[in-house]
Amino acid sequence: MDNVISKSYEIIKESNDLIATEESIQQYMYEVFTELLGDIFIHINQTIKEQKQHEGWKVKREDWKTVQFIFWPVRYRRTLMTDQDSQNHYPLDKWLGI
């Protein structure tokens, strides 16, 4: 959080007008939010993966995925898993409704 405050302070300090300041802060906040959301998805993926492994699912591989949101694209890792019937699934995608 201190880094966000410091960076926002730098943007405000270096700007000459309020509109440019607002646009720069908005862009920076999109970057921060995009990174945080990607990290959250990775954490949720790990939790789901562990639950599915307890159910007997097997990990096939880890893949990167990018989803376009209104603010910016969010990139995260997801796990391709195989269920007991040898069907492939990305459990995180299902959980997210993708």
Side-chain angles (χ1 to χ4, degrees):
M1 185 63 144
D2 288 338
N3 196 26
V4 171
I5 293 169
S6 297
K7 178 66 175 175
S8 298
Y9 175 76
E10 282 179 40
I11 292 169
I12 292 168
K13 185 177 164 185
E14 293 172 2
S15 181
N16 293 336
D17 67 80
L18 188 57
I19 293 173
T21 301
E22 181 180 358
E23 289 171 348
S24 295
I25 289 175
Q26 181 182 25
Q27 183 175 7
Y28 176 63
M29 288 299 133
Y30 284 169
E31 290 173 21
V32 170
F33 189 66
T34 297
E35 186 177 326
L36 288 173
L37 195 53
D39 290 346
I40 290 167
F41 287 169
I42 289 169
H43 178 74
I44 293 169
N45 179 72
Q46 183 64 32
T47 301
I48 293 171
K49 178 175 80 172
E50 291 170 5
Q51 290 172 347
K52 293 295 183 185
Q53 285 177 308
H54 281 68
E55 296 172 14
W57 290 36
K58 304 292 180 201
V59 172
K60 202 165 186 183
R61 68 175 185 260
E62 299 279 327
D63 296 316
W64 285 100
K65 181 169 182 74
T66 302
V67 176
Q68 181 63 50
F69 283 84
I70 293 171
F71 46 89
W72 270 6
V74 173
R75 188 168 189 251
Y76 59 92
R77 286 187 75 82
R78 61 194 179 145
T79 305
L80 178 63
M81 301 186 79
T82 306
D83 65 18
Q84 295 90 338
D85 298 324
S86 299
Q87 298 294 313
N88 291 326
H89 304 273
Y90 286 104
L92 178 61
D93 287 0
K94 180 174 169 100
W95 188 85
L96 291 172
I98 298 174

